[in-house]
Amino acid sequence: MESERRGAAVAAANAVADDLEAGLGRDADAPAFSLAFGEAGFALLFDALGRAGLRPDGTRRARELLRSATRGVKETKASTSLYVGWPGVAFATSVLCEPDEAQRSLRSSLAVLRRGVSAAPWRKRLDLTDGLAGLGVVALACLPGDDAEEAAVSVVERFDELAEPLGAGLVWRAPGEPTRVEVGIAHGVAGIVLLLAAAHEAGIERERAGRLLDGAVEWLLSLVPGEDGRRFPAFAFAAPGEASAMPNAWCWGDVGVALAVARAAQIRGGHNNRTCLGNDSGRHRHEIAKAANMSWWQ
């Protein structure tokens, strides 16, 4: 049975790759080079298939796609979005290339990144897909290196400056948003949790990142489950009906938030075996298990 499942999974992954080669899955409104909809993201898939020995031409095709994405960035005024801008191509480069090659290729990009995130106060977007958290992902992916490390430190500092105490913990609001707090992994607190967990694991501002991480997770776990069966709402303090209109999917819903909280618990627990996100590890694990039906926590 296991071999059958593995065979089915391999066939499905290669079918997706075949569809991408045929031009399916591309978004005409997004840059062709993007991580979310274009060549940088496709390159990651082909590279993974090639490294696993599941597609003979995977590694070669990944490099071709990455070269095309890099050309696209140079020929376009690319945004600073992880999903649809130059940071996504930089992230793909850090994954596909050996460290020395990636450092050479990204030298000027990392310098731009370092200067950009050093600006305080930060007045731009904060989220994982298009904002400060996404830039932090790129910085962490490009470690070690002076520019990458300085950028990663600055990102944690910016989140510390912008953190707001709320209820049981800490939150971040989108610029210009007076009340509503986005919860999900793509645009909300859960995405920032993932970034802070990665920074803590990498040894970047560990005390500061850990404090922010604990506060954010505490707030997420304090949210009251909705009447629609969701453990986490898409928004807190939203207009009537606004949160329920959002799909309970990876970017807005329980799966993404539970993933972020579980990863935070894993990282914090890994650095102190007596605790897991503070001194109440049992309650936190139970809440995480309820959030995504993660039976392996029980």
Side-chain angles (χ1 to χ4, degrees):
M1 181 62 73
E2 288 301 320
S3 61
E4 292 178 4
R5 289 177 178 173
R6 183 180 187 278
V10 170
N14 275 300
V16 170
D18 290 339
D19 285 345
L20 295 177
E21 289 282 52
L24 300 178
R26 296 177 184 265
D27 188 332
D29 296 326
F33 59 76
S34 72
L35 180 66
F37 304 105
E39 293 161 336
F42 301 162
L44 292 178
L45 171 62
F46 280 91
D47 180 67
L49 291 172
R51 289 175 188 261
L54 303 178
R55 194 174 183 95
D57 65 338
T59 302
R60 176 190 59 78
R61 187 69 181 113
R63 284 299 190 126
E64 291 175 351
L65 288 162
L66 182 61
R67 284 194 292 270
S68 181
T70 302
R71 286 194 300 271
V73 167
K74 292 178 179 178
E75 295 168 357
T76 309
K77 187 176 180 180
S79 75
T80 56
S81 162
L82 175 65
Y83 267 30
V84 296
W86 66 261
V89 180
F91 176 79
T93 301
S94 74
V95 174
L96 268 65
C97 300
E98 294 298 323
D100 289 346
E101 181 186 358
Q103 289 290 334
R104 290 194 301 271
S105 299
L106 299 175
R107 185 176 292 112
S108 60
S109 297
L110 290 173
V112 170
L113 177 63
R114 173 182 54 78
R115 291 193 297 269
V117 297
S118 67
W122 184 264
R123 302 187 187 279
K124 302 176 184 177
R125 294 183 61 157
L126 302 175
D127 57 337
L128 178 65
T129 62
D130 298 298
L132 183 62
L135 296 176
V137 167
V138 177
L140 292 172
C142 292
L143 292 172
D146 292 343
D147 282 338
E149 183 172 350
E150 288 184 35
V153 168
S154 292
V155 168
V156 176
E157 290 174 345
R158 300 293 83 78
F159 278 118
D160 194 12
E161 294 160 0
L162 295 166
E164 297 181 38
L166 182 63
L170 297 172
V171 301
W172 292 266
R173 300 181 201 271
E177 184 61 70
T179 56
R180 190 183 73 173
V181 180
E182 294 209 36
V183 176
I185 198 170
H187 305 291
V189 173
I192 297 171
V193 163
L194 271 184
L195 181 278
L196 292 170
H200 187 279
E201 183 179 38
I204 300 295
E205 291 289 304
R206 181 164 286 169
E207 186 280 328
R208 191 195 307 251
R211 172 172 50 81
L212 297 173
L213 184 61
D214 289 354
V217 171
E218 191 67 45
W219 182 78
L220 286 172
L221 293 180
S222 74
L223 293 172
V224 177
E227 295 180 358
D228 57 0
R230 296 168 65 134
R231 171 59 183 87
F232 299 100
F235 310 107
F237 313 110
E242 184 179 15
S244 60
M246 304 307 299
N248 190 9
W250 177 87
C251 52
W252 301 102
D254 288 350
V255 174
V257 181
L259 169 67
V261 175
R263 182 61 176 151
Q266 182 183 44
I267 295 300
R268 291 294 273 161
H271 288 284
N272 185 340
N273 290 329
R274 293 185 299 104
T275 63
C276 181
L277 296 171
N279 295 318
D280 200 359
S281 62
R283 179 175 69 84
H284 280 46
R285 290 191 180 192
H286 181 60
E287 288 295 319
I288 295 164
K290 288 197 301 181
N293 192 26
M294 293 182 178
S295 59
W296 58 84
W297 284 98
Q298 300 172 347

